[in-house]
Amino acid sequence: MRHLRGQSDSNGRCADFTMGVYPLLRDDTCWFLAADFDGEQWAADARAYVQTCRACDVPAALERSRSGQGGHVWIFFTEPVAARDARQLGAALMT
C-alpha cells in the first residue's frame, strides 16, 4: 500500500515489494493481470519480465507509467481465467 499512498519506510526510502493487479469478477475470475515495476532498475526488470513472458509464449505489453519513473507489464487473457491461476502465472513469471 505504500506505493499507492506515496509513502516510504522509516528511513525515507521506498521499501521493495512486488505489486500486481487482477480485478476480480464475481466468480473469482479475471480478464487480465498487470505487474508494476518501480525503482532505479524498473526498466531492466520490466524488460526481463517481458522476455520471460515471450519465452513462455505469454503475450505481454510493457507500458511506461505516467511519472516516467516506472512501468507496467500487462497480460490479457482471451477468456476469463481463475484469479488463482492468474496470480500463480504472474508469480511464476516473476521468479
Side-chain angles (χ1 to χ4, degrees):
M1 295 300 291
R2 289 181 184 155
H3 175 76
L4 298 175
R5 293 182 185 144
Q7 296 175 333
S8 57
D9 64 15
S10 61
N11 296 320
R13 298 179 308 240
C14 288
D16 291 337
F17 65 95
T18 301
M19 181 178 170
V21 63
Y22 47 96
L24 293 177
L25 301 173
R26 291 180 188 246
D27 62 354
D28 290 330
T29 62
C30 61
W31 280 93
F32 69 89
L33 171 73
D36 184 54
F37 295 88
D38 292 309
E40 291 181 26
Q41 297 295 320
W42 78 264
D45 293 342
R47 282 193 303 268
Y49 192 79
V50 169
Q51 288 173 349
T52 301
C53 289
R54 290 183 180 150
C56 295
D57 205 24
V58 175
L62 174 58
E63 167 198 36
R64 189 174 206 159
S65 64
R66 280 187 277 172
S67 71
Q69 302 300 311
H72 311 104
V73 176
W74 298 87
I75 299 170
F76 293 94
F77 307 117
T78 56
E79 60 188 43
V81 301
R84 179 173 158 209
D85 294 340
R87 214 173 27 253
Q88 288 175 342
L89 172 65
L93 293 167
M94 187 68 67
T95 58

